């Protein structure tokens, strides 16, 4: 199974990915891959960022500064468009390579991609899963765990489709409104279900 996982900011996507990792699935986190791609100040990607954004996104040591990136691109559609045009070709290459490796080895793969449907990646996967927990709870978690204020949360949400739409488009849903055990019960059932489907083939 090659599974694409998505959800709104603060919905709990990483909780889902961690579960699949513990179950022996190969996990791909798009945000982590993107960070790794631009971390080196000498990388070709960093040079493209300097070309399009100047040195404003770099700190005094010449490294890209996540806070400066967020300030520059969130809430500015044109800046975000330029940012993604730099980032996504390399992400696509890493994503396709990992999917290919999983298919060749027969591994199950869980691919955590916040903008899965926005970038029309759903066709790459055998199935998609959306994590949902509701706006009020998401915002509370983001304020407490990531120390984001409402203005920053709104800026980031504006770049994503509504979580209800993600839920509508996904093949499977996980509701993350209670305990970790509640989430894991849903995922246990999902894994048992796909195993049964495989055995019946």
């Amino acid at each position: 199974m090659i599974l694409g996982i998505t959800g709104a900011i603060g919905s709990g996507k990483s909780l889902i990915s961690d579960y699949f990792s513990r179950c022996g699935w190969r996990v791909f986190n798009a945000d982590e891959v993107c960070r790794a791609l631009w971390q080196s100040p000498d990388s070709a990607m960093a040079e493209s960022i300097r070309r399009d954004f100047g040195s404003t996104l770099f700190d005094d040591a010449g490294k890209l500064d996540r806070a400066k990136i967020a300030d520059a691109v969130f809430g500015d559609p044109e800046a975000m468009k330029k940012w993604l045009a730099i980032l996504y070709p390399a992400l696509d290459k890493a994503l396709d390579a990992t999917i290919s490796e999983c298919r060749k080895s027969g591994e199950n793969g869980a691919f955590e991609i916040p903008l899965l449907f926005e970038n029309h990646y759903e066709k790459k996967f055998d199935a998609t899963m959306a994590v949902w927990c509701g706006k009020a709870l998401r915002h509370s978690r983001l304020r407490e765990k990531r120390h984001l204020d409402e203005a920053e949360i709104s800026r980031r949400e504006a770049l994503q489709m509504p979580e209800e739409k993600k839920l509508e488009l996904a093949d499977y849903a996980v509701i993350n409104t209670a305990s970790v055990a509640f989430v894991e019960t849903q995922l246990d059932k999902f894994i048992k279900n796909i195993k049964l489907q495989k055995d019946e083939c």
Side-chain angles (χ1 to χ4, degrees):
M1 166 70 78
I2 306 298
L3 179 69
I5 301 168
T6 193
I9 179 174
S11 58
K13 297 180 293 295
S14 294
L15 174 64
I16 309 303
S17 296
D18 289 346
Y19 170 89
F20 283 112
S21 179
R22 295 198 307 272
C23 290
W25 289 43
R26 182 165 180 174
V27 170
F28 179 102
N29 183 305
D31 284 346
E32 291 181 0
V33 170
C34 286
R35 281 195 291 271
L37 287 169
W38 52 251
Q39 273 181 340
S40 171
D42 298 322
S43 69
M45 183 172 294
E47 288 306 308
S48 296
I49 294 169
R50 288 185 186 277
R51 180 196 65 216
D52 289 353
F53 291 92
S55 298
T56 58
L57 304 187
F58 296 80
D59 62 21
D60 293 339
K63 294 183 179 180
L64 280 155
D65 186 309
R66 290 179 64 184
K68 291 181 179 180
I69 292 168
D71 287 342
V73 303
F74 289 122
D76 184 337
E78 286 303 313
M80 177 58 77
K81 186 177 180 180
K82 287 198 298 183
W83 176 254
L84 295 181
I86 295 170
L87 209 58
Y88 269 68
L91 174 64
D92 287 351
K93 185 176 180 180
L95 175 61
D96 289 344
T98 306
I99 289 174
S100 178
E101 290 168 6
C102 285
R103 293 201 184 282
K104 288 178 181 178
S105 66
E107 287 180 276
N108 290 314
F111 293 76
E112 181 185 333
I113 305 177
L115 300 181
L116 189 154
F117 292 118
E118 291 87 340
N119 288 298
H120 308 291
Y121 283 160
E122 60 270 26
K123 293 181 180 179
K124 295 179 181 288
F125 304 104
D126 299 326
T128 56
M129 175 180 285
V131 191
W132 185 91
C133 74
K135 181 176 180 178
L137 183 53
R138 284 193 299 103
H139 284 210
S140 175
R141 290 171 176 169
L142 289 166
R143 288 193 301 270
E144 292 175 9
K145 296 181 179 180
R146 295 175 60 177
H147 309 293
L148 300 179
D149 59 27
E150 286 297 321
E152 183 62 23
I153 294 170
S154 295
R155 282 206 305 165
R156 298 188 184 204
E157 283 183 326
L159 300 171
Q160 300 184 358
M161 67 173 59
E163 60 181 338
E164 289 77 12
K165 183 64 175 178
K166 292 176 184 280
L167 201 65
E168 177 186 328
L169 292 172
D171 299 302
Y172 298 93
V174 173
I175 308 303
N176 183 21
T177 55
S179 65
V180 172
F182 175 64
V183 171
E184 291 184 346
T185 296
Q186 297 171 73
L187 295 172
D188 284 340
K189 290 180 180 179
F190 167 78
I191 286 183
K192 288 176 182 176
N193 183 48
I194 62 172
K195 283 182 177 178
L196 284 173
Q197 291 177 3
K198 185 175 180 180
D199 291 342
E200 290 173 357
C201 292

